[in-house]
Structure formats: C-alpha cells, structure tokens
Amino acid sequence: MVITQPDLEAVEIQLLLDGLFRHYGVDFRDYSYPSIRRRIRNMMIDEKLSTISALQERLLHDPSCMERFLLAVSVHVSSMFRDPPFFANFRAAVVPLLRTYPYVRIWHAGCSTGEEVYSLAILLSEEGLLERSKLYATDHNESVLRKARQGIYPLSAMKLYTDNYIKSGGKRSFSEYYTAKYEHAIFAPALSSNVVFAQHNLVGDRSFNEFNVIMCRNVLIYFNKTLQARVHKLFYESLCQLGVLALGDRESIKFSPYEDCFKELVGESKFYQRVK
Amino acid sequence: MDFKIVVAGTSLGGLKAITALLSALPENFSLPLVVIQHREYASGELLKGLLQKVTCLPVQEVEDKDAILPGRIYLAPPDYHLLIDRGEFALSIDDPVTFARPSVDVAFDSAAASYGQGVLAVILTGAGRDGAAGAASIEAFGGVVLVQDPSSAEAKSMPQAAIAATKAAHVLPLAEIISFLHQNCCLGGQPQHV
C-alpha cells in the first residue's frame, strides 16, 4: 500500500496557498492548517481532481474556479441565536453596560450570511437599545454580505432558530420578526435599519472606528495562532475603555498578546471587558 | 509501534464503552487520547464530569488551539468539529458530516494528515457510518485502526462500516482493545495497574 506522507501534503498545500497569494493577492497562509486542508480536500472532490497540484493549476488558470474556492474557503455559516446561553448572558451582563451609553457602536466581525446579526438586532430591539445603536456587520466576502443584507433564510431552519430564541431568553414570539413566503422567512427590514453591512478583511484591513462591543464568534477558530494574535491586536485597538469583546463558546483570549488588558465579564460565556 | 496520539470515535450510545476504556487506562498511559462522541448540544460539560470520575488522567473539553499533551484525555466539544493539527487542536463550525458535529470522520482525517503513521484510531460501538471514511484516511496515511468487534458492540453499524472501509483494521473485543493500549501506549513497557 502506498502511504501518503503528511509532510509532502503540507508542502503541496503551502505551495498552493503561496501561489494564490502571489497571483490573486488573497492570503490564506495563516489560516488554521487542518481547516484549510479540509476545504482544499473537499474542493478537490467537487472539482473531480485527484491531486492538490492539479487543483493549484486550475485555480491559477481559471478565475471561475478561484471564485468557487473563495466561497468554499471563506464561508462559515452560523445559525440564529447559536449557543443560546451566549445571548442570555449578553442580556444579563452586557445590556446593563450599554444602557449607560447615550449611543452604542457594535462591530460584528465576520458576520457571514448574517444570522447572528439579526439575532443581535432582535435582542437589542427587545431591550430598547436598537434605536440608539449602530451595528457594523463586516465580512471579507461580498457574496455572503449580499445574503446578509437580504435577511432571507430557509423556512425549514425556523424551528431550530425559534428553539434557540426561546432558550436565549427571547421576550416575544419569534414569528413576529419574519414573514413566511414560499419556503423562506424574510426578516423585518426595521431590524437592519441601523445595521451597516460592509466589506472588511480581518487578515489585512485596519480598524475603522472605536466600539463599545466587538462580537467575533467562531471566526478566529479558522485562523492559526499567528493570525489570531494579529486580529486580537486589531480588536484591542478598536475597543473603547470598558468595551466588551465577545467570542465563541470554545474560544478564549488566552493566546492573545493583550490577555492581561481584559477581565472576564461572565463566568461561562466568553465576554471579555477591556480594562486597560 | 511508535504511536503519537490515540483517537477514539463512538456515537451517542457509546458512553458505556468509553467509560470502560478510560477506567482501564493506567496512570502511566503516555499518549494524548482524543474522544469524539456524538452528543447533544445541551450536554455541556456533563460528559467531562462523568468521565473524570473513572480515570486519574486529566479530562478536558477542548477549546480552540489547546495544546495536545501526553497523558491527557480530550473531548470534542458539542456542536463543533474537532480538528487535530500538529501539537494543537483546531475547531470548526462547518456543516455536519453524515449528520454529525463533531464528526469522527473529520477528526480522524485531520489526525491522519497531521500525525501520519503515529495515529492509533479506535472505532467503538455506534449507529450510523461516521468514522468509516476517517478510518480509511488513517490507513492511507499509515496509521493503525482498531475496531470493536461488532458482535460485542451494543450498536453494530459504525464498527461494521469501518471494517468495510478499511483493509487492515484489527477487529477486537473491547477487552483486547484495552490490552492493545496497555502494550503500545504506556511508558515503561508493562503497565502498572492502579
């Protein structure tokens, strides 16, 4: 039996990522290795190719293949009110802090197709904070932002989302927030009236404002520790004093160079308050 | 054989088998052991508490980029895929694979790509076919696969699918899987029973 060598495969993947960076200027070199490898492997199956080198050739010579790759590599779809305790803790621990500000700026970094943007907008509206808040929902991929702007999701997902909403401490009936049409749920435009959807790339772009809350859940897991540290610097610099960084439930700031500048706000969920 | 890491996969009903396996591990078990069990999102850290009761080796539910250290038991957290990089874990929220997240296939395949011949994989009782493709990856990268003998497994389909997908998997009853771990994954040859 011919044994595949992990080292050789790693070399091939490195070459492919170097090639994409040099030719297209997109930089996946500091993505988490096993995640990017998995996306590449899946892409090979979809493209019916048997080697990484063959995929590299097609990516470099066929821009439409590159488009497909960008979508496959960069989309991390979440669900509404994913991890309900997170949203319950947001209500309990972050909302009281936000009430002390006349105006609230929130950056939702890596918003993908927007499920959690609408979740947060619903929460803020129930707490009477949406009108004086501005949500900046960013992603580096323009096509997922288009979906996020539309706020249209499959009707089949509403059962799970309703469950999540109830568990998160939702105060109304979830179906009040959307209109069902054919197989889709269209979310109320009022929810996104204070949301700015914009393209921003965590890998290379700079800070663009100062925020009271930065929410970035299950995005950094796709990066390696080097890139995570760079993004943590960006978040630190973009948070105001006493601002809150909200991460995914299995993420932490223990690998951030700014770990000492934060204190944990709630025990179980990943809210970190900037204290210096 | 010079193993670097042990990965074990089972489905929702595998708690008994995992408990038996962990309670039989000696103090000098010298490899990282990663457990991928299908579970309910709401199960939280319950599983960790249950398993810590039966072993003296530290049990932890993985957080992103946690280091992979010898003599520790790692659990895949609910609702994430667990990926194994060299020396550390990574997580993802990619779509479920064969209806599972965590998926045994995803974890096994990433272990194979990172540790190659150093992987010892164990498929325990379970329903469905998750783990079969992952076991095939482990073999393709030179690792070794042990499968719980379907005739002694509570749920047979996962072991059966893994046997069908591999060429050289060792099919063993749970007790022999445990002795295999004793012989190949413990410091100082003969294990000290505790």
Side-chain angles (χ1 to χ4, degrees):
Chain A
M1 190 162 70
V2 182
I3 292 172
T4 313
Q5 297 295 332
D7 293 342
L8 182 58
E9 189 189 41
V11 167
E12 283 195 278
I13 288 174
Q14 207 57 58
L15 286 172
L16 183 151
L17 298 179
D18 281 344
L20 296 187
F21 177 64
R22 291 174 62 181
H23 186 60
Y24 292 105
V26 293
D27 193 354
F28 294 112
R29 295 172 301 173
D30 281 325
Y31 270 47
S32 155
Y33 178 75
S35 274
I36 196 89
R37 172 188 174 271
R38 184 162 178 265
R39 300 287 171 109
I40 287 171
R41 283 273 161 205
N42 287 344
M43 180 93 185
M44 283 164 57
I45 295 167
D46 293 344
E47 300 282 324
K48 300 183 171 56
L49 296 169
S50 58
T51 65
I52 295 167
S53 326
L55 178 62
Q56 175 183 315
E57 196 206 352
R58 187 173 294 175
L59 283 167
L60 291 177
H61 294 282
D62 177 357
S64 68
C65 180
M66 183 61 187
E67 281 293 311
R68 294 192 291 278
F69 181 79
L70 286 176
L71 262 183
V73 168
S74 55
V75 179
H76 324 116
V77 174
S78 185
S79 35
M80 291 188 78
F81 294 96
R82 181 190 156 97
D83 181 18
F86 169 86
F87 288 92
N89 285 324
F90 194 105
R91 276 184 208 265
V94 182
V95 162
L97 182 75
L98 299 185
R99 289 198 199 287
T100 66
Y101 299 116
Y103 191 76
V104 176
R105 271 193 299 266
I106 297 176
W107 178 16
H108 186 155
C111 69
S112 191
T113 41
E115 286 84 349
E116 294 188 35
V117 179
Y118 289 91
S119 310
L120 190 60
I122 288 170
L123 187 157
L124 292 171
S125 110
E126 291 182 0
E127 298 296 335
L129 283 169
L130 188 59
E131 287 197 350
R132 57 180 153 119
S133 302
K134 191 78 143 184
L135 271 75
Y136 299 80
T138 65
D139 200 281
H140 72 287
N141 189 304
E142 190 55 54
S143 56
V144 298
L145 281 173
R146 266 199 301 277
K147 279 196 173 171
R149 273 187 204 102
Q150 289 174 337
I152 301 175
Y153 302 105
L155 202 54
S156 56
M158 291 308 126
K159 191 182 171 301
L160 170 70
Y161 294 177
T162 305
D163 269 8
N164 285 352
Y165 168 77
I166 294 166
K167 285 182 196 150
S168 78
K171 293 180 171 170
R172 295 166 62 175
S173 160
F174 189 59
S175 57
E176 288 175 32
Y177 293 107
Y178 63 85
T179 312
K181 204 168 185 184
Y182 303 106
E183 293 304 306
H184 299 289
I186 304 162
F187 278 79
L191 290 173
S192 55
S193 56
N194 283 348
V195 181
V196 179
F197 290 98
Q199 197 172 20
H200 180 279
N201 190 350
L202 291 172
V203 179
D205 291 344
R206 288 162 184 273
S207 175
F208 56 96
N209 213 325
E210 199 178 69
F211 302 95
N212 305 106
V213 176
I214 297 177
M215 176 156 126
C216 183
R217 300 172 71 221
N218 301 316
V219 174
L220 299 184
I221 53 178
Y222 291 97
F223 299 164
N224 70 14
K225 282 196 283 197
T226 311
L227 182 51
Q228 285 188 356
R230 285 206 326 254
V231 177
H232 272 296
K233 178 170 188 287
L234 173 68
F235 287 165
Y236 173 77
E237 289 167 351
S238 309
L239 267 179
C240 65
Q241 275 292 331
L242 302 182
V244 174
L245 175 63
L247 301 174
D249 61 321
R250 303 309 302 171
E251 298 177 303
S252 83
I253 54 165
K254 63 189 169 204
F255 302 115
S256 159
Y258 295 89
E259 185 188 357
D260 295 343
C261 304
F262 289 90
K263 72 163 195 195
E264 268 187 46
L265 203 57
V266 196
E268 56 196 286
S269 284
K270 301 306 172 69
F271 294 104
Y272 301 98
Q273 184 168 39
R274 181 179 161 178
V275 288
K276 21 181 192 185
Chain B
M1 275 172 276
D2 196 9
F3 295 117
K4 302 272 191 290
I5 190 165
V6 183
V7 288
T10 181
S11 75
L12 203 57
L15 183 62
K16 227 162 91 185
I18 286 288
T19 310
L21 186 85
L22 293 197
S23 58
L25 291 181
E27 230 173 90
N28 64 346
F29 182 80
S30 61
L31 295 181
L33 169 64
V34 185
V35 176
I36 302 97
Q37 185 186 13
H38 300 161
R39 49 204 283 214
E40 299 292 334
Y41 182 68
S43 63
E45 298 222 335
L46 203 65
L47 182 63
K48 176 186 141 180
L50 284 175
L51 296 180
Q52 187 64 80
K53 284 198 186 116
V54 303
T55 174
C56 53
L57 301 167
V59 179
Q60 75 186 76
E61 197 173 271
V62 174
E63 283 198 342
D64 184 50
K65 303 299 179 288
D66 274 344
I68 297 176
L69 301 170
R72 286 173 187 250
I73 316 292
Y74 296 98
L75 305 179
D79 216 21
Y80 285 92
H81 288 302
L82 178 65
L83 296 125
I84 291 158
D85 202 348
R86 289 178 202 192
E88 67 191 37
F89 292 102
L91 299 174
S92 101
I93 56 165
D94 290 0
D95 287 341
V97 176
T98 55
F99 311 106
R101 188 169 66 193
S103 144
V104 180
D105 281 340
V106 170
F108 277 21
D109 180 54
S110 64
S114 295
Y115 286 93
Q117 302 182 53
V119 181
L120 175 61
V122 183
I123 291 276
L124 296 170
T125 173
R129 54 168 303 108
D130 187 24
S137 281
I138 304 257
E139 275 196 344
F141 279 87
V144 171
V145 179
L146 311 182
V147 181
Q148 184 178 5
D149 187 344
S151 64
S152 72
E154 278 181 58
K156 303 179 194 322
S157 51
M158 240 172 91
Q160 281 166 342
I163 294 165
T166 49
K167 297 188 183 76
H170 303 264
V171 182
L172 304 169
L174 190 57
E176 284 180 41
I177 289 177
I178 290 167
S179 10
F180 190 100
L181 295 180
H182 276 249
Q183 282 155 22
N184 293 284
C185 311
C186 296
L187 276 178
Q190 286 306 305
Q192 307 156 1
H193 286 277
V194 287

